[in-house]
Amino acid sequence: LGVNRHGPLQSSTVQQFVESVVPEPVLQEVGSVSALVTALGLALGQMTGWMTYGSKKHDSAEKTVTTILPVIHKTIDQITPLIDADAMAFSNYLVAQKMPTANEEETALKQEALEEALLTIIHVPMKIMELGCSCWAPLEDLSANYNTSLKSDLQVAVKCVESGIWGAYKNVMINLDDVINDQTKQEIAAKARKLLE
């Protein structure tokens, strides 16, 4: 995806990010917001794990926590660059839309570029879904044995991850409408629906 680990959206303040979610100029789609929400949910889950670890009251949770924390941490590292990747993918699509169509060759090249850019736009939220879903098992394991004073933190973590995955799914499905290749469209839709189950 050619993601930038220190892209402008990741490096922005909360206020700057919120203000960038506006109709004009188009800086990002719902994919960027979904990636951020998912990452925030995972961060809350990670915090719950860390605040359970080392607690004498929760000694029995130590093995579970030391197993899941690296998984969640790695996933956060993988998902945060997608905040900017989504915006980059959409920018490439806008560039392709401006390609000339003076003759049949140019029209064909433009259509090919649009399809390629569109599939990249779809690939980003699909990756968000995959990464978010990969943490359901670790979060479930954590919910079975954790510092219960952090119950609301873990509940919000789960809801954020769920919302981020749902938002990414909606992003995939709405962009699939413009994909020309029917087989590709059906394969992606089936995969997205399975992840949402």
Side-chain angles (χ1 to χ4, degrees):
L1 292 171
V3 295
N4 184 349
R5 295 193 60 79
H6 303 287
L9 294 178
Q10 287 180 81
S11 303
S12 65
T13 65
V14 172
Q15 182 176 347
Q16 287 168 339
F17 187 94
V18 171
E19 290 175 352
S20 73
V21 186
V22 292
E24 294 291 341
V26 177
L27 295 178
Q28 68 219 50
E29 286 198 320
V30 71
S32 294
V33 175
S34 297
L36 177 60
V37 171
T38 306
L40 288 172
L42 293 175
L44 271 175
Q46 181 176 243
M47 181 201 74
T48 302
W50 274 118
M51 294 185 73
T52 300
Y53 179 76
S55 168
K56 290 182 180 179
K57 188 178 178 182
H58 303 283
D59 280 346
S60 60
E62 188 168 318
K63 186 177 179 181
T64 299
V65 171
T66 54
T67 300
I68 68 170
L69 280 177
V71 175
I72 294 176
H73 182 76
K74 182 180 178 182
T75 306
I76 292 170
D77 278 350
Q78 291 174 315
I79 207 166
T80 48
L82 298 179
I83 296 169
D84 281 288
D86 185 75
M88 287 169 55
F90 190 67
S91 295
N92 291 338
Y93 183 77
L94 294 179
V95 170
Q97 280 187 323
K98 295 176 182 177
M99 290 174 66
T101 55
N103 53 53
E104 287 185 11
E105 184 181 357
E106 287 185 348
T107 301
L109 285 171
K110 179 178 181 177
Q111 193 58 57
E112 185 180 331
L114 283 169
E115 186 84 346
E116 185 178 340
L118 190 58
L119 290 174
T120 302
I121 285 175
I122 291 167
H123 179 72
V124 175
M126 281 292 292
K127 192 66 179 174
I128 295 167
M129 290 184 73
E130 289 170 3
L131 290 169
C133 288
S134 74
C135 283
W136 281 136
L139 288 172
E140 187 175 350
D141 289 345
L142 181 61
S143 69
N145 196 349
Y146 71 102
N147 183 342
T148 53
S149 66
L150 299 163
K151 183 177 181 178
S152 63
D153 299 274
L154 187 57
Q155 288 174 330
V156 172
V158 170
K159 278 298 177 185
C160 282
V161 174
E162 182 181 22
S163 296
I165 292 170
W166 184 83
Y169 170 77
K170 289 298 183 179
N171 195 208
V172 168
M173 299 308 288
I174 197 166
N175 283 307
L176 272 180
D177 290 342
D178 295 324
V179 173
I180 295 172
N181 188 307
D182 284 334
Q183 183 178 347
T184 300
K185 185 184 294 189
Q186 289 171 13
E187 288 174 356
I188 293 172
K191 186 177 180 181
R193 290 190 189 101
K194 188 172 182 179
L195 285 168
L196 197 65
E197 288 176 358

